[in-house]
């Protein structure tokens, strides 16, 4: 039978744009949720905990945007693509007798059955 071509796998493809966008939105939402917790905790904590919560409330938006804009996982293996498609073309016969004969009105050769073509 011959050798089989390498089978393609869907796992070699990068994530779809919708999947990647959803993942980035989740990261951003979680980070901003932590920021909201820091803002609320600033009302109830004292001392150096207040400083930690204030830094979280101030710096987390920057890190949330950075984390959301970083593209997803970078693949080290290239995406496998199928090989080029080779079109099969039947070779034209070299013998001119194998070609069909076109009958024209002024053609006087006899038809294949021996009858007159007129």
């Amino acid at each position: 039978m011959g050798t089989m071509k390498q089978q393609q796998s869907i796992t070699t493809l990068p994530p779809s744009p919708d999947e990647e966008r959803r993942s980035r939105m989740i990261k951003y939402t979680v980070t901003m949720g932590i920021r909201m917790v820091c803002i609320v905790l600033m009302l109830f904590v004292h001392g150096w905990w207040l400083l930690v919560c204030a830094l979280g409330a101030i710096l987390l938006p920057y890190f949330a945007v950075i984390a959301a804009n970083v593209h997803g996982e970078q693949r080290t293996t290239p995406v496998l693509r199928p090989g080029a498609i080779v079109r099969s073309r039947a070779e034209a016969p070299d013998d001119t007798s194998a070609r069909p004969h076109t009958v024209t009105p002024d053609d006087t050769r006899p038809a294949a059955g021996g009858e007159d073509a007129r």
Side-chain angles (χ1 to χ4, degrees), residues 22-73:
R22 183 176 186 277
S23 171
R24 293 186 317 181
M25 286 175 57
I26 289 171
K27 289 176 189 176
Y28 182 80
T29 304
V30 167
T31 307
M32 294 310 285
I34 294 171
R35 178 183 185 228
M36 290 303 297
V37 169
C38 287
I39 291 172
V40 170
L41 284 177
M42 284 174 53
L43 300 172
F44 301 105
V45 296
H46 301 287
W48 64 275
W49 283 105
L50 181 63
L51 180 64
V52 171
C53 291
L55 286 175
I58 293 169
L59 297 177
L60 277 176
Y62 172 77
F63 290 111
V65 170
I66 297 297
N69 286 330
V70 172
H71 289 287
E73 60 190 53

Side-chain angles (χ1 to χ4, degrees), residues 109-115 117:
R109 292 191 322 187
E115 300 174 13

